[in-house]
mmCIF file of all heavy atoms in Angstrom:
data_model
loop_
_atom_site.group_PDB
_atom_site.id
_atom_site.type_symbol
_atom_site.label_atom_id
_atom_site.label_comp_id
_atom_site.label_asym_id
_atom_site.label_seq_id
_atom_site.Cartn_x
_atom_site.Cartn_y
_atom_site.Cartn_z
ATOM 1 N N ILE A 220 -9.564 -9.209 77.081
ATOM 2 C CA ILE A 220 -9.840 -10.606 77.496
ATOM 3 C C ILE A 220 -8.835 -10.959 78.622
ATOM 4 O O ILE A 220 -7.641 -10.882 78.432
ATOM 5 C CB ILE A 220 -9.722 -11.559 76.324
ATOM 6 C CG1 ILE A 220 -10.697 -11.207 75.235
ATOM 7 C CG2 ILE A 220 -9.945 -13.048 76.819
ATOM 8 C CD1 ILE A 220 -10.647 -12.068 73.981
ATOM 9 N N THR A 221 -9.360 -11.245 79.851
ATOM 10 C CA THR A 221 -8.496 -11.367 81.013
ATOM 11 C C THR A 221 -8.442 -12.795 81.571
ATOM 12 O O THR A 221 -9.391 -13.592 81.305
ATOM 13 C CB THR A 221 -8.930 -10.440 82.083
ATOM 14 O OG1 THR A 221 -10.347 -10.641 82.413
ATOM 15 C CG2 THR A 221 -8.829 -8.988 81.610
ATOM 16 N N PRO A 222 -7.422 -13.163 82.329
ATOM 17 C CA PRO A 222 -7.240 -14.520 82.890
ATOM 18 C C PRO A 222 -7.737 -14.521 84.412
ATOM 19 O O PRO A 222 -8.278 -13.537 84.912
ATOM 20 C CB PRO A 222 -5.755 -14.707 82.801
ATOM 21 C CG PRO A 222 -5.175 -13.393 83.050
ATOM 22 C CD PRO A 222 -6.179 -12.350 82.499
ATOM 23 N N TRP A 223 -7.449 -15.651 84.987
ATOM 24 C CA TRP A 223 -7.971 -15.866 86.364
ATOM 25 C C TRP A 223 -6.987 -15.626 87.473
ATOM 26 O O TRP A 223 -7.356 -15.738 88.631
ATOM 27 C CB TRP A 223 -8.521 -17.324 86.465
ATOM 28 C CG TRP A 223 -7.548 -18.352 85.918
ATOM 29 C CD1 TRP A 223 -7.638 -18.970 84.624
ATOM 30 C CD2 TRP A 223 -6.427 -18.955 86.501
ATOM 31 N NE1 TRP A 223 -6.659 -19.860 84.483
ATOM 32 C CE2 TRP A 223 -5.848 -19.886 85.657
ATOM 33 C CE3 TRP A 223 -5.800 -18.760 87.736
ATOM 34 C CZ2 TRP A 223 -4.735 -20.689 85.932
ATOM 35 C CZ3 TRP A 223 -4.623 -19.523 88.007
ATOM 36 C CH2 TRP A 223 -4.104 -20.421 87.110
ATOM 37 N N ASN A 224 -5.775 -15.356 87.201
ATOM 38 C CA ASN A 224 -4.788 -15.276 88.267
ATOM 39 C C ASN A 224 -4.746 -13.965 88.960
ATOM 40 O O ASN A 224 -4.593 -13.952 90.242
ATOM 41 C CB ASN A 224 -3.415 -15.692 87.791
ATOM 42 C CG ASN A 224 -2.946 -14.815 86.621
ATOM 43 O OD1 ASN A 224 -3.817 -14.206 85.905
ATOM 44 N ND2 ASN A 224 -1.647 -14.776 86.380
ATOM 45 N N ILE A 229 -5.444 -7.225 86.346
ATOM 46 C CA ILE A 229 -5.169 -7.332 84.858
ATOM 47 C C ILE A 229 -6.290 -6.586 84.060
ATOM 48 O O ILE A 229 -5.958 -5.928 83.120
ATOM 49 C CB ILE A 229 -4.984 -8.812 84.410
ATOM 50 C CG1 ILE A 229 -3.655 -9.262 85.065
ATOM 51 C CG2 ILE A 229 -4.975 -8.895 82.901
ATOM 52 C CD1 ILE A 229 -3.411 -10.744 84.856
ATOM 53 N N LYS A 247 -14.126 -9.019 78.598
ATOM 54 C CA LYS A 247 -14.613 -10.343 78.899
ATOM 55 C C LYS A 247 -13.687 -10.909 79.941
ATOM 56 O O LYS A 247 -12.504 -11.257 79.650
ATOM 57 C CB LYS A 247 -14.580 -11.245 77.700
ATOM 58 C CG LYS A 247 -15.236 -12.597 77.946
ATOM 59 C CD LYS A 247 -14.772 -13.659 77.010
ATOM 60 C CE LYS A 247 -13.595 -14.374 77.506
ATOM 61 N NZ LYS A 247 -13.742 -15.130 78.773
ATOM 62 N N PRO A 248 -14.114 -11.087 81.165
ATOM 63 C CA PRO A 248 -13.271 -11.789 82.206
ATOM 64 C C PRO A 248 -13.225 -13.258 82.036
ATOM 65 O O PRO A 248 -14.014 -13.828 81.281
ATOM 66 C CB PRO A 248 -13.955 -11.374 83.524
ATOM 67 C CG PRO A 248 -15.425 -11.233 83.149
ATOM 68 C CD PRO A 248 -15.480 -10.803 81.708
ATOM 69 N N SER A 249 -12.276 -13.894 82.670
ATOM 70 C CA SER A 249 -12.191 -15.315 82.682
ATOM 71 C C SER A 249 -13.491 -15.950 83.286
ATOM 72 O O SER A 249 -13.988 -15.394 84.283
ATOM 73 C CB SER A 249 -10.989 -15.833 83.504
ATOM 74 O OG SER A 249 -11.065 -17.201 83.684
ATOM 75 N N GLU A 250 -13.983 -17.008 82.755
ATOM 76 C CA GLU A 250 -15.163 -17.683 83.249
ATOM 77 C C GLU A 250 -14.910 -18.222 84.655
ATOM 78 O O GLU A 250 -15.846 -18.497 85.432
ATOM 79 C CB GLU A 250 -15.570 -18.847 82.316
ATOM 80 C CG GLU A 250 -14.515 -19.923 82.047
ATOM 81 C CD GLU A 250 -13.581 -19.511 80.901
ATOM 82 O OE1 GLU A 250 -13.557 -18.331 80.418
ATOM 83 O OE2 GLU A 250 -12.737 -20.371 80.482
ATOM 84 N N LEU A 251 -13.614 -18.349 84.984
ATOM 85 C CA LEU A 251 -13.275 -18.897 86.328
ATOM 86 C C LEU A 251 -13.285 -17.787 87.425
ATOM 87 O O LEU A 251 -13.450 -18.128 88.625
ATOM 88 C CB LEU A 251 -11.868 -19.504 86.335
ATOM 89 C CG LEU A 251 -11.773 -20.724 85.382
ATOM 90 C CD1 LEU A 251 -10.352 -21.089 85.090
ATOM 91 C CD2 LEU A 251 -12.433 -21.934 86.006
ATOM 92 N N VAL A 283 -18.204 -16.162 73.368
ATOM 93 C CA VAL A 283 -17.911 -14.755 73.668
ATOM 94 C C VAL A 283 -16.562 -14.325 73.218
ATOM 95 O O VAL A 283 -16.414 -13.335 72.461
ATOM 96 C CB VAL A 283 -18.230 -14.450 75.189
ATOM 97 C CG1 VAL A 283 -17.738 -12.946 75.473
ATOM 98 C CG2 VAL A 283 -19.639 -14.551 75.481
ATOM 99 N N GLY A 284 -15.535 -15.090 73.651
ATOM 100 C CA GLY A 284 -14.102 -14.750 73.262
ATOM 101 C C GLY A 284 -13.933 -14.759 71.770
ATOM 102 O O GLY A 284 -13.530 -13.706 71.156
ATOM 103 N N PRO A 285 -14.275 -15.849 71.019
ATOM 104 C CA PRO A 285 -14.147 -15.784 69.598
ATOM 105 C C PRO A 285 -14.976 -14.717 68.855
ATOM 106 O O PRO A 285 -14.540 -14.133 67.889
ATOM 107 C CB PRO A 285 -14.530 -17.226 69.175
ATOM 108 C CG PRO A 285 -14.249 -18.078 70.394
ATOM 109 C CD PRO A 285 -14.473 -17.195 71.573
ATOM 110 N N THR A 288 -12.945 -11.571 69.134
ATOM 111 C CA THR A 288 -11.700 -11.556 68.347
ATOM 112 C C THR A 288 -11.916 -11.542 66.802
ATOM 113 O O THR A 288 -11.009 -11.228 66.123
ATOM 114 C CB THR A 288 -10.746 -12.703 68.705
ATOM 115 O OG1 THR A 288 -11.493 -13.930 68.553
ATOM 116 C CG2 THR A 288 -10.329 -12.611 70.195
ATOM 117 N N PHE A 298 -4.988 -8.928 75.396
ATOM 118 C CA PHE A 298 -5.236 -10.269 75.992
ATOM 119 C C PHE A 298 -4.105 -10.623 76.928
ATOM 120 O O PHE A 298 -2.919 -10.424 76.621
ATOM 121 C CB PHE A 298 -5.301 -11.268 74.839
ATOM 122 C CG PHE A 298 -5.262 -12.708 75.365
ATOM 123 C CD1 PHE A 298 -6.450 -13.301 75.900
ATOM 124 C CD2 PHE A 298 -4.171 -13.466 75.228
ATOM 125 C CE1 PHE A 298 -6.391 -14.628 76.377
ATOM 126 C CE2 PHE A 298 -4.082 -14.815 75.655
ATOM 127 C CZ PHE A 298 -5.206 -15.364 76.232
ATOM 128 N N THR A 299 -4.446 -11.152 78.083
ATOM 129 C CA THR A 299 -3.464 -11.782 79.008
ATOM 130 C C THR A 299 -3.926 -13.211 79.265
ATOM 131 O O THR A 299 -5.082 -13.373 79.694
ATOM 132 C CB THR A 299 -3.318 -11.015 80.278
ATOM 133 O OG1 THR A 299 -3.034 -9.698 80.040
ATOM 134 C CG2 THR A 299 -2.276 -11.644 81.223
ATOM 135 N N GLY A 300 -3.108 -14.160 79.033
ATOM 136 C CA GLY A 300 -3.424 -15.561 79.199
ATOM 137 C C GLY A 300 -2.404 -16.473 78.609
ATOM 138 O O GLY A 300 -1.225 -16.119 78.525
ATOM 139 N N SER A 301 -2.860 -17.650 78.195
ATOM 140 C CA SER A 301 -1.869 -18.687 77.683
ATOM 141 C C SER A 301 -1.370 -18.376 76.293
ATOM 142 O O SER A 301 -2.074 -17.791 75.526
ATOM 143 C CB SER A 301 -2.445 -20.036 77.810
ATOM 144 O OG SER A 301 -3.582 -20.145 76.912
ATOM 145 N N THR A 302 -0.227 -18.932 76.012
ATOM 146 C CA THR A 302 0.324 -18.780 74.638
ATOM 147 C C THR A 302 -0.562 -19.460 73.619
ATOM 148 O O THR A 302 -0.805 -18.968 72.515
ATOM 149 C CB THR A 302 1.721 -19.408 74.646
ATOM 150 O OG1 THR A 302 2.608 -18.600 75.552
ATOM 151 C CG2 THR A 302 2.359 -19.256 73.245
ATOM 152 N N ALA A 303 -1.161 -20.620 74.044
ATOM 153 C CA ALA A 303 -1.974 -21.362 73.109
ATOM 154 C C ALA A 303 -3.217 -20.569 72.740
ATOM 155 O O ALA A 303 -3.539 -20.389 71.538
ATOM 156 C CB ALA A 303 -2.419 -22.705 73.768
ATOM 157 N N THR A 304 -3.872 -19.942 73.693
ATOM 158 C CA THR A 304 -5.019 -19.083 73.397
ATOM 159 C C THR A 304 -4.574 -17.798 72.666
ATOM 160 O O THR A 304 -5.255 -17.389 71.755
ATOM 161 C CB THR A 304 -5.814 -18.756 74.674
ATOM 162 O OG1 THR A 304 -6.186 -20.023 75.277
ATOM 163 C CG2 THR A 304 -7.039 -17.906 74.436
ATOM 164 N N GLY A 305 -3.425 -17.282 73.010
ATOM 165 C CA GLY A 305 -2.895 -16.105 72.322
ATOM 166 C C GLY A 305 -2.767 -16.382 70.808
ATOM 167 O O GLY A 305 -3.085 -15.528 69.936
ATOM 168 N N LYS A 307 -4.531 -18.600 69.047
ATOM 169 C CA LYS A 307 -5.861 -18.584 68.463
ATOM 170 C C LYS A 307 -6.380 -17.228 68.275
ATOM 171 O O LYS A 307 -6.993 -16.897 67.174
ATOM 172 C CB LYS A 307 -6.837 -19.343 69.394
ATOM 173 C CG LYS A 307 -6.703 -20.801 69.414
ATOM 174 C CD LYS A 307 -7.782 -21.422 70.237
ATOM 175 C CE LYS A 307 -7.401 -22.815 70.748
ATOM 176 N NZ LYS A 307 -8.208 -23.296 71.909
ATOM 177 N N ILE A 308 -6.180 -16.311 69.235
ATOM 178 C CA ILE A 308 -6.705 -14.963 69.137
ATOM 179 C C ILE A 308 -6.072 -14.278 67.935
ATOM 180 O O ILE A 308 -6.686 -13.527 67.129
ATOM 181 C CB ILE A 308 -6.465 -14.192 70.440
ATOM 182 C CG1 ILE A 308 -7.365 -14.786 71.511
ATOM 183 C CG2 ILE A 308 -6.605 -12.709 70.303
ATOM 184 C CD1 ILE A 308 -7.255 -14.278 72.860
ATOM 185 N N ASN A 311 -7.667 -15.560 64.791
ATOM 186 C CA ASN A 311 -8.960 -15.035 64.625
ATOM 187 C C ASN A 311 -9.007 -13.553 64.279
ATOM 188 O O ASN A 311 -9.923 -13.085 63.582
ATOM 189 C CB ASN A 311 -9.773 -15.261 65.926
ATOM 190 C CG ASN A 311 -10.300 -16.686 66.083
ATOM 191 O OD1 ASN A 311 -10.281 -17.425 65.040
ATOM 192 N ND2 ASN A 311 -10.539 -17.067 67.267
ATOM 193 N N GLU A 322 -0.133 -10.589 76.220
ATOM 194 C CA GLU A 322 0.805 -10.852 77.352
ATOM 195 C C GLU A 322 0.597 -12.316 77.730
ATOM 196 O O GLU A 322 -0.457 -12.687 78.336
ATOM 197 C CB GLU A 322 0.508 -9.912 78.509
ATOM 198 C CG GLU A 322 1.680 -9.704 79.439
ATOM 199 C CD GLU A 322 1.696 -10.725 80.632
ATOM 200 O OE1 GLU A 322 2.203 -11.821 80.344
ATOM 201 O OE2 GLU A 322 1.297 -10.387 81.630
ATOM 202 N N LEU A 323 1.508 -13.157 77.324
ATOM 203 C CA LEU A 323 1.255 -14.615 77.418
ATOM 204 C C LEU A 323 2.107 -15.209 78.512
ATOM 205 O O LEU A 323 2.589 -14.470 79.385
ATOM 206 C CB LEU A 323 1.552 -15.255 76.004
ATOM 207 C CG LEU A 323 0.843 -14.484 74.873
ATOM 208 C CD1 LEU A 323 1.260 -15.105 73.475
ATOM 209 C CD2 LEU A 323 -0.679 -14.546 75.034
ATOM 210 N N GLY A 324 2.233 -16.432 78.534
ATOM 211 C CA GLY A 324 2.957 -17.109 79.597
ATOM 212 C C GLY A 324 4.420 -16.790 79.702
ATOM 213 O O GLY A 324 5.035 -16.190 78.812
ATOM 214 N N GLY A 325 5.038 -17.121 80.820
ATOM 215 C CA GLY A 325 6.464 -16.946 81.007
ATOM 216 C C GLY A 325 7.037 -18.171 81.625
ATOM 217 O O GLY A 325 6.276 -18.996 82.261
ATOM 218 N N GLN A 354 1.234 -18.663 90.609
ATOM 219 C CA GLN A 354 0.291 -18.371 89.481
ATOM 220 C C GLN A 354 0.322 -16.917 89.123
ATOM 221 O O GLN A 354 -0.631 -16.188 89.091
ATOM 222 C CB GLN A 354 -1.133 -18.680 89.965
ATOM 223 C CG GLN A 354 -1.307 -20.146 90.468
ATOM 224 C CD GLN A 354 -2.578 -20.352 91.158
ATOM 225 O OE1 GLN A 354 -3.411 -21.105 90.718
ATOM 226 N NE2 GLN A 354 -2.894 -19.707 92.277
ATOM 227 N N THR A 355 1.570 -16.462 88.755
ATOM 228 C CA THR A 355 1.754 -15.135 88.255
ATOM 229 C C THR A 355 2.633 -15.266 87.007
ATOM 230 O O THR A 355 3.549 -16.036 87.033
ATOM 231 C CB THR A 355 2.359 -14.222 89.257
ATOM 232 O OG1 THR A 355 1.522 -14.118 90.439
ATOM 233 C CG2 THR A 355 2.643 -12.838 88.759
ATOM 234 N N CYS A 356 2.303 -14.509 85.931
ATOM 235 C CA CYS A 356 3.055 -14.732 84.716
ATOM 236 C C CYS A 356 4.626 -14.545 84.950
ATOM 237 O O CYS A 356 5.431 -15.245 84.423
ATOM 238 C CB CYS A 356 2.592 -13.822 83.547
ATOM 239 S SG CYS A 356 2.293 -12.122 84.109
ATOM 240 N N ALA A 357 4.965 -13.545 85.773
ATOM 241 C CA ALA A 357 6.371 -13.207 85.989
ATOM 242 C C ALA A 357 6.834 -13.735 87.356
ATOM 243 O O ALA A 357 7.620 -13.146 88.003
ATOM 244 C CB ALA A 357 6.650 -11.754 85.901
ATOM 245 N N ASN A 400 -7.903 -23.393 90.315
ATOM 246 C CA ASN A 400 -8.919 -24.234 89.668
ATOM 247 C C ASN A 400 -8.491 -25.674 89.546
ATOM 248 O O ASN A 400 -7.218 -25.891 89.564
ATOM 249 C CB ASN A 400 -9.338 -23.659 88.321
ATOM 250 C CG ASN A 400 -8.228 -23.589 87.287
ATOM 251 O OD1 ASN A 400 -7.933 -24.625 86.702
ATOM 252 N ND2 ASN A 400 -7.684 -22.375 87.125
ATOM 253 N N MET A 402 -8.498 -27.747 86.967
ATOM 254 C CA MET A 402 -7.638 -28.039 85.821
ATOM 255 C C MET A 402 -6.154 -27.696 86.053
ATOM 256 O O MET A 402 -5.244 -28.460 85.739
ATOM 257 C CB MET A 402 -8.202 -27.196 84.583
ATOM 258 C CG MET A 402 -7.615 -27.582 83.248
ATOM 259 S SD MET A 402 -8.241 -26.454 81.983
ATOM 260 C CE MET A 402 -7.404 -24.937 82.403
ATOM 261 N N GLN A 403 -5.928 -26.496 86.697
ATOM 262 C CA GLN A 403 -4.554 -26.080 87.017
ATOM 263 C C GLN A 403 -3.906 -27.056 88.055
ATOM 264 O O GLN A 403 -2.761 -27.377 87.921
ATOM 265 C CB GLN A 403 -4.556 -24.656 87.443
ATOM 266 C CG GLN A 403 -3.227 -24.020 87.451
ATOM 267 C CD GLN A 403 -2.632 -23.967 86.045
ATOM 268 O OE1 GLN A 403 -3.354 -23.707 85.112
ATOM 269 N NE2 GLN A 403 -1.290 -24.195 85.904
ATOM 270 N N LYS A 406 -2.919 -30.006 86.242
ATOM 271 C CA LYS A 406 -1.756 -29.718 85.440
ATOM 272 C C LYS A 406 -0.427 -29.798 86.310
ATOM 273 O O LYS A 406 0.574 -30.380 85.861
ATOM 274 C CB LYS A 406 -1.842 -28.371 84.749
ATOM 275 C CG LYS A 406 -0.648 -27.975 83.880
ATOM 276 C CD LYS A 406 -0.936 -26.683 83.140
ATOM 277 C CE LYS A 406 0.315 -26.176 82.508
ATOM 278 N NZ LYS A 406 0.108 -24.887 81.778
ATOM 279 N N GLU A 453 5.977 -23.749 81.871
ATOM 280 C CA GLU A 453 5.584 -23.106 83.091
ATOM 281 C C GLU A 453 4.514 -23.945 83.792
ATOM 282 O O GLU A 453 3.502 -24.158 83.225
ATOM 283 C CB GLU A 453 5.126 -21.669 82.847
ATOM 284 C CG GLU A 453 3.757 -21.540 82.211
ATOM 285 C CD GLU A 453 3.144 -20.096 82.383
ATOM 286 O OE1 GLU A 453 3.764 -19.233 83.106
ATOM 287 O OE2 GLU A 453 2.158 -19.881 81.736
ATOM 288 N N PRO A 454 4.821 -24.397 85.063
ATOM 289 C CA PRO A 454 3.804 -25.179 85.746
ATOM 290 C C PRO A 454 2.653 -24.313 86.286
ATOM 291 O O PRO A 454 1.570 -24.722 86.446
ATOM 292 C CB PRO A 454 4.479 -25.843 86.861
ATOM 293 C CG PRO A 454 5.913 -25.219 86.970
ATOM 294 C CD PRO A 454 6.070 -24.248 85.807
ATOM 295 N N PHE A 455 2.939 -22.984 86.486
ATOM 296 C CA PHE A 455 1.916 -22.022 86.994
ATOM 297 C C PHE A 455 1.278 -22.620 88.279
ATOM 298 O O PHE A 455 0.089 -22.661 88.400
ATOM 299 C CB PHE A 455 0.851 -21.865 85.940
ATOM 300 C CG PHE A 455 0.390 -20.377 85.841
ATOM 301 C CD1 PHE A 455 1.311 -19.405 85.476
ATOM 302 C CD2 PHE A 455 -0.930 -20.030 86.029
ATOM 303 C CE1 PHE A 455 0.849 -18.073 85.328
ATOM 304 C CE2 PHE A 455 -1.295 -18.715 85.969
ATOM 305 C CZ PHE A 455 -0.361 -17.710 85.614
ATOM 306 N N LEU A 481 9.544 -13.715 78.920
ATOM 307 C CA LEU A 481 8.840 -12.728 79.694
ATOM 308 C C LEU A 481 9.843 -11.892 80.667
ATOM 309 O O LEU A 481 10.159 -10.778 80.415
ATOM 310 C CB LEU A 481 7.683 -13.304 80.432
ATOM 311 C CG LEU A 481 6.691 -12.282 81.044
ATOM 312 C CD1 LEU A 481 6.097 -11.346 79.992
ATOM 313 C CD2 LEU A 481 5.616 -12.965 81.812
HETATM 314 O O1 LIG B 172 -5.949 -19.718 79.956
HETATM 315 P P1 LIG B 172 -6.619 -19.160 78.636
HETATM 316 P P2 LIG B 172 -6.401 -20.944 80.974
HETATM 317 C C1 LIG B 172 -1.355 -20.010 81.565
HETATM 318 C C2 LIG B 172 -1.054 -21.055 82.614
HETATM 319 C C3 LIG B 172 -2.270 -21.923 82.600
HETATM 320 C C4 LIG B 172 -2.646 -21.788 81.162
HETATM 321 C C5 LIG B 172 -4.113 -22.163 80.839
HETATM 322 O O2 LIG B 172 0.083 -21.795 82.264
HETATM 323 O O3 LIG B 172 -1.964 -23.205 82.957
HETATM 324 O O4 LIG B 172 -2.433 -20.501 80.833
HETATM 325 O O5 LIG B 172 -4.986 -21.319 81.608
HETATM 326 C C6 LIG B 172 -10.266 -16.692 77.158
HETATM 327 N N1 LIG B 172 -10.776 -16.690 72.071
HETATM 328 N N2 LIG B 172 -1.767 -18.673 82.092
HETATM 329 O O6 LIG B 172 -6.914 -22.062 80.156
HETATM 330 O O7 LIG B 172 -7.249 -20.225 77.900
HETATM 331 C C7 LIG B 172 -10.707 -17.323 78.454
HETATM 332 O O8 LIG B 172 -12.052 -17.404 78.501
HETATM 333 C C8 LIG B 172 -10.844 -15.657 72.967
HETATM 334 C C9 LIG B 172 -0.819 -17.655 82.023
HETATM 335 O O9 LIG B 172 -7.334 -20.428 82.000
HETATM 336 O O10 LIG B 172 -5.480 -18.378 78.001
HETATM 337 C C10 LIG B 172 -10.054 -16.446 79.485
HETATM 338 O O11 LIG B 172 -10.813 -15.188 79.607
HETATM 339 N N3 LIG B 172 -10.667 -15.855 74.243
HETATM 340 C C11 LIG B 172 -1.420 -16.289 82.159
HETATM 341 C C12 LIG B 172 -8.719 -16.033 78.793
HETATM 342 O O12 LIG B 172 -8.868 -16.333 77.457
HETATM 343 C C13 LIG B 172 -10.443 -17.085 74.736
HETATM 344 C C14 LIG B 172 -2.490 -16.212 83.153
HETATM 345 C C15 LIG B 172 -7.489 -16.786 79.392
HETATM 346 O O13 LIG B 172 -7.675 -18.095 79.170
HETATM 347 C C16 LIG B 172 -10.450 -18.160 73.890
HETATM 348 C C17 LIG B 172 -3.380 -17.379 83.129
HETATM 349 C C18 LIG B 172 -10.617 -17.922 72.455
HETATM 350 N N4 LIG B 172 -10.515 -18.902 71.592
HETATM 351 C C19 LIG B 172 -3.032 -18.599 82.596
HETATM 352 N N5 LIG B 172 -10.239 -19.289 74.592
HETATM 353 C C20 LIG B 172 -0.458 -15.143 82.363
HETATM 354 N N6 LIG B 172 0.140 -14.784 81.206
HETATM 355 O O14 LIG B 172 -0.277 -14.696 83.410
HETATM 356 C C21 LIG B 172 -10.106 -18.881 75.929
HETATM 357 N N7 LIG B 172 -10.255 -17.540 75.994
#
Side-chain angles (χ1 to χ4, degrees):
I220 300 177
T221 57
W223 45 261
N224 56 339
I229 291 173
K247 189 204 88 63
S249 167
E250 56 277 10
L251 296 164
V283 172
T288 56
F298 169 76
T299 303
S301 64
T302 299
T304 300
K307 283 188 205 160
I308 288 174
N311 283 340
E322 205 268 82
L323 309 176
Q354 302 169 119
T355 299
C356 47
N400 63 79
M402 189 184 72
Q403 195 62 38
K406 180 175 170 183
E453 75 163 351
F455 222 62
L481 190 59

